[in-house]
Amino acid sequence: MNDMTVPREEREAKLEGMGCKRKRVEDVRFTQGKGNYVDDIKLKDMVFGDFVRSPYPHARVKSIDTSAAEALPGVLAVLTAETLKTVNLAWMPTLAGDVQMVLADGKVLFQNQEVAFVIAEDRYIAADAVDLVEVEYEELPVLVDPFKAMEPDAPVLREDLEGKTEGAHGARKHHNHIFEWTVGDSEATDLAFSKAEVTVKELFSYHRCHPCPLETCACVASMDKIKGELTLWGTFQAPHVVRTVASLLSTIPEHKIRVISPDIGGGFGNKVGVYPGYVCSIVGSIVLGRPVKWVEDRIENLSATAFARDYHMTTELAATAEGKITGLRCHVLADHGGFDACADPSKWPAGFFNIITGSYDIPTAHVAVDGVYTNKAPGGVAYRCSFRVTEAVYAMERAIDVLARKLNMDPAELRLKNFIRPEQFPYPSALGWEYDSGDYETAMRKAMETVDYAGLRAEQAEKRAAFERGETRELMGIGVSFFTEIVGAGPTRNCDILGIGMFDSCEIRIHPTGAAIARMGTISQGQGHQTTYAQILATELGIPADMIDIEEGDTDTAPYGLGTYGSRSTPVAGAATAMAARKIKAKAQMIAAHMLEVHEDDLEWDVDGFRVKGLPEKTASMKEICWAAYNNVPPNMEPGLEAVSYYDPPNMTYPFGAYICVMDIDVDTGAHKVRRFYALDDCGTRINPMIIEGQVHGGLTEGYAIAMGQEIAYDDMGNVTTASLMDFFLPTAVETPFWETDWTVTPSPHHPIGAKGVGESPNVGSVPCFSNAVNDAFAHLGVTHIQMPHDNWRIWRECKRLGLTG
Amino acid sequence: MIPGSFDYHRPKTVDEAVALLGQYGEEARAIAGGHSLIPMMKLRLAAPEHLIDLGKIEALRGISRDGDTIVIGATTTQAELIASPVIASNLPILIETAMLIADPQIRYVGTVGGNVANGDPGNDMPALMQCLGADYVLKGASGERSVAARDFYEAAYFTALEDGELLTSIRIPLPPAGCGWAYEKLKRKVGDYATAAAAVMLKLHGGACSFASIALTNVGDTPLLAAEAAEALVGSSLDKSAIDAAVAAAEAITNPASDGRGPAEYRTRMAGVMLRRAIARAKNRAA
Amino acid sequence: MAKTHVKMTVNGKEIEALVEPRTLLIHFIREELELTGPHIGCETSHCGACTLDIDGKSVKSCTMFAVQANGADIRTIEGMAEADGTLHPLQDAFREMHGLQCGFCTPGMITRAYRLLQENPNPSDEEIRMGISGNLCRCTGYQNIVAAIRLAAERMNGTQNWEAAE
């Protein structure tokens, strides 16, 4: 039995609850090679699927001859659009309200689009058979540049939409137009600009990139024809949504489908969507009655599933001569590729792009986003960010730097001048959000002091002078960014996916001995959920974290949840965890009162049990209460100690941070060196500082890669030129800078434990910081904006344009 | 990414390997470390019907000194090269270069012979071998012959190596005593091919350059020996005008492709920048 | 095509099998031997998730045929702990220093770090970064991996003067 006479600190330490650097539970298996990822699954009679893909970015499919492939020994089936039409699955709905071909139906719209699906006894035979499928194509004119998509004579991409003037999000203006989404007060904004003393305008292109988790997308579909049950293992960031979609598409009743996300080797947004490989594997298993495994290779991953960004943001700021921002206007051209398969909440075709006013008190703003089709892969996922937030933050954080140049002000000072002040929270933004909490100035000043910002500026001035004197060939750039994220989607009144509200869930069962299991609607892809949810419960329930199992990812056992992406696990499921725990605690209190023969109001909570007020030696520890829950409950109370919570958040959460980067640029090669990078994050209450720091390191590394070279590039013919890890920039340990991390804590007032989420902040905040550092290196030469990615040759091109190098 | 089928052979002697290569002609490929060939096979850009594994042929391995020549067996790995005291004391530029190739795992299995023989213009060793004036010993059914590295490369993936022939060793003459050396490579990240790279050997005598040899990597469809650039240095004090002339001469012979590393113009300029830096470092190292 | 007989030692166990020559070593290890610790990340020898220790070298087994490993002595992540279950200091250190998140790169990373420390028992941070530059990690940003390898090295050398992160 727990002894509540032990000092409070000792009992608290034993819990390993919130705030402690608990070592991860997951690592025990991962460090021994005992993780269980999708490709590790081996089932009896399992067969393998592989895709025939289009070498052309835009072509008519004249014919598909599968006979030679089918004749190869070991080949079991070759699916084409014609086969899928018999089960009405040649096309599937996307999360964005569009439809997408599962297999090429008459034409292809991007290079490496899925054309046929070969199923064979093993993956080697499947690969051989792919080569034997004969496809006759007739090439069509290719549209790569989104700025040409809406020209009158642009090629018609989506013939299936011909004559459709209404899309899922309103009117379509052109045959390659998907939607226009506007928000804000256009007239008031125009007025602010017409009255402004200073305005700036710049096109900020956020290039196409890709989440590229180390594990590619994969699934195993297993149809038990006798039981009529489908089991689907997959790399799914949202297993319950996959179950619902699979049921709607296949007409298998939802209770006959079990979706399991086992260990996932990183997601970063890549594994939110539903891909043709999943549909074809399910159909294959239904047809063959055998389990079908499909695993993307890296080329397929980079060229066909889930790109991110490709946002072209013409951004304007209006300000007074003293630097007070009076208005913001932004027009976005959004390249969605051949199908609009972006993974946003249904009502938000441009995600939460209207967070673009950022951390600043901007009285009026207007945003318009036009989505267009091009001959590129579909997607538009949130690559380690909330939906379209990193795009918005990039535009704002670059724009304020451009404004600072024009005003001849220091960019950090201009930010300080325009921050939303602590007393303005909850703060209603001009574009419709209500920020929960923040103390931006404190964070910014702490960052500036820690790095000695003034000293850095002095050093930069000296270095510029030395450059002028010919003593160095390096220019020094200082990047500042201050971001406000919007995460934790989200309130069901305005956030849903295919009509399902974006709540999340936790179900807790306490066993008689005081051990517990909690099942969640989310799914970890490396975030350490098994570790951190248990910490929340440990603090809430007074049960040691080591006595609590966290289980996720099996739709047969877990309560319905919307999954893990958009930094929503802690804000939504973390809240559900606390709320479910509090239901248990309330019942525990009644049991304790019964045990101690006092009124429950006479009890007070003390770390891991209750004490009688005024009689502190009279206690009921949680461990004792758990036992009593199964044999000594008050009259008329049901035995047991269980609870479930479906948490519908009242608001988003708004983590923020201040980042500063110091970079040296070699003008003769365009190569850079990040000399220093400091990241201060405020994610509200900190559940596990070790895991937070790890998340920040990872996000910064991704942000570094994106800003400095990571790109999904297409040539003019529509060929993707970066589909291997030779050309798609994933930095190694050698290129990756050293990260300094720091924090402030401003809890969310509406979240049960005050936590805001952190996983994506470092990606969101660091990309503009790196980009600002590059631009800052050239700012004294009149440069306002250099487009990303800032790889060597593009920086060198700017050096050459400026006459700094030959 | 699954390769096509093939028959596998694992000869124990050079003669056996040569016989197999002769027997199967263009249907056969020799494999050593395999880190160039296997990815090509997985992409089905190469589909040999017979794979002849050189891994068990002891005679192809090892580093030795033969008079004024350093002999490197074709299947000597980059890691073995890096660890070799013979190389460290005689040709340290090989170690500097090998350290810039690929990554640790690949250097354990990637061979010097494979790097020079497969004709990939992205490989680093070919230009270095041209710079050093190395000879390649090739063995075929009709016997052994020697081809200078400077004559070996014809176009991307096309070399003087004929079907049925095997590269058995690389012979590098010892550079003049007191030579300075440097290999400068600009790349995007560890594991990348060069955006441009330059190998420089030079010797100073009484303040003047008495010997120079220069070659460039990955700025043409073969490695490029920059003879005129070297000539521009010889006789000079390595002053700015001589170096400018060498850089101009080197840039003039480049013909790089535009790719993700940058447009052709950039890569040409980077060849010049790498050369300039390599000359500076070589000069500092010259006795 | 004829199958080839291969014999090798894997984690101290002698195994024999008939393999198709084109069978990649990583597939042989994962699917025939059911050692699924090593992973497939890129298939083009860039990511290092498939790293095995073969005859004292770190090798990317996605770019090697099983037949080439005939006669080899191979160690995978599953063979890193001692027979009695005692973990290798690297395995402990990765957990302690939070040197992993999704776990997908971890087996290859630890296997590579094992060889690095065999060759260089006391590497500097820069040498560690160079030493693991053939292994990509998408989650950690490497900083804690470097710290974990340093901690393991110190413990293996008995020179630990490490103040574990608070």
Side-chain angles (χ1 to χ4, degrees), chain A residues 206-265:
Chain A
Y206 199 137
H207 56 288
R208 186 174 273 238
C209 49
H210 195 285
C212 193
L214 201 53
E215 176 201 36
T216 57
C217 299
C219 73
V220 179
S222 180
M223 185 73 202
D224 182 330
K225 286 192 167 183
I226 293 167
K227 292 185 182 162
E229 289 176 358
L230 172 71
T231 307
L232 183 64
W233 290 262
T235 50
F236 308 134
Q237 290 182 234
H240 282 99
V241 177
V242 170
R243 185 184 71 189
T244 302
V245 171
S247 177
L248 293 172
L249 290 181
S250 69
T251 70
I252 301 170
E254 198 168 357
H255 69 296
K256 294 287 189 188
I257 301 176
R258 180 183 184 187
V259 176
I260 300 173
S261 294
D263 288 324
I264 296 180

Side-chain angles (χ1 to χ4, degrees), chain A residues 492-704:
Chain A
T492 57
R493 65 177 181 275
N494 57 10
C495 289
D496 68 271
I497 286 186
L498 300 175
I500 301 163
M502 293 183 73
F503 58 84
D504 226 293
S505 59
C506 172
E507 179 194 286
I508 305 168
R509 294 181 190 178
I510 314 278
H511 311 316
T513 58
I517 183 165
R519 296 191 169 103
M520 315 290 305
T522 50
I523 176 71
S524 180
Q525 307 122 43
Q527 295 90 337
H529 288 177
Q530 282 187 289
T531 305
T532 48
Y533 287 137
Q535 289 182 260
I536 298 174
L537 289 172
T539 296
E540 291 284 341
L541 291 175
I543 294 175
D546 280 347
M547 300 291 283
I548 303 166
D549 259 358
I550 301 294
E551 201 177 271
E552 297 180 300
D554 182 342
T555 59
D556 264 13
T557 54
Y560 205 105
L562 274 285
T564 294
Y565 43 86
S567 281
R568 63 186 303 282
S569 295
T570 296
V572 191
T577 307
M579 298 309 274
R582 288 171 193 183
K583 291 183 192 179
I584 285 178
K585 199 161 153 187
K587 184 172 178 181
Q589 187 162 356
M590 288 192 265
I591 296 170
H594 175 66
M595 289 164 69
L596 298 167
E597 298 176 330
V598 296
H599 190 275
E600 57 181 276
D601 290 347
D602 294 331
L603 295 174
E604 59 187 1
W605 179 252
D606 179 23
V607 181
D608 55 358
F610 291 95
R611 289 186 197 279
V612 178
K613 288 177 190 166
L615 288 170
E617 69 285 357
K618 283 197 78 177
T619 63
S621 73
M622 201 57 197
K623 194 169 167 83
E624 292 163 334
I625 296 167
C626 294
W627 187 256
Y630 290 86
N631 61 22
N632 182 24
V633 294
N636 302 321
M637 179 187 272
E638 289 180 6
L641 205 48
E642 298 189 8
V644 60
S645 168
Y646 285 78
Y647 186 78
D648 181 3
N651 191 4
M652 309 283 185
T653 60
Y654 298 80
F656 58 91
Y659 292 0
I660 296 175
C661 171
V662 183
M663 186 186 286
D664 292 318
I665 289 171
D666 173 349
V667 298
D668 291 319
T669 59
H672 66 274
K673 182 148 186 56
V674 175
R675 202 195 317 155
R676 190 158 183 201
F677 197 99
Y678 168 90
L680 179 149
D681 274 281
D682 190 321
C683 57
T685 303
R686 292 156 59 84
I687 300 166
N688 183 327
M690 176 191 83
I691 285 182
I692 291 171
E693 187 184 56
Q695 290 286 310
V696 173
H697 287 173
L700 295 175
T701 305
E702 287 184 349
Y704 167 72

Side-chain angles (χ1 to χ4, degrees), chain A residues 24 37 42 123 128 739, chain C residues 22 31 95 101-102 143:
Chain A
R24 297 200 331 161
Y37 301 87
K42 193 171 176 179
R123 59 179 105 213
D128 291 343
W739 310 117
Chain C
R22 66 167 167 166
E31 288 170 22
R95 177 160 191 249
Q101 291 180 27
C102 82
Q143 199 156 309

Side-chain angles (χ1 to χ4, degrees), chain C residues 34-97:
Chain C
E34 299 191 352
L35 296 168
T36 55
H39 295 132
I40 301 171
C42 72
E43 308 186 59
T44 50
S45 74
H46 290 102
C47 81
C50 61
T51 298
L52 307 179
D53 199 66
I54 304 182
D55 293 333
K57 303 167 186 170
S58 307
V59 177
K60 295 181 175 179
S61 61
C62 73
T63 305
M64 181 170 184
F65 296 113
V67 288
Q68 290 177 283
N70 194 8
D73 187 358
I74 297 178
R75 191 198 285 243
T76 72
I77 185 72
E78 288 91 342
M80 210 53 75
E82 286 173 36
D84 68 356
T86 306
L87 295 186
H88 189 277
L90 278 162
Q91 292 172 304
D92 282 326
F94 267 64
R95 177 160 191 249
E96 281 178 53
M97 301 312 294

Side-chain angles (χ1 to χ4, degrees), chain B residues 190-216:
Chain B
V190 169
D192 194 16
Y193 290 131
T195 301
V200 170
M201 299 289 294
L202 59 80
K203 190 169 164 55
L204 296 176
H205 188 77
C209 176
S210 58
F211 163 81
S213 181
I214 296 169
L216 309 172

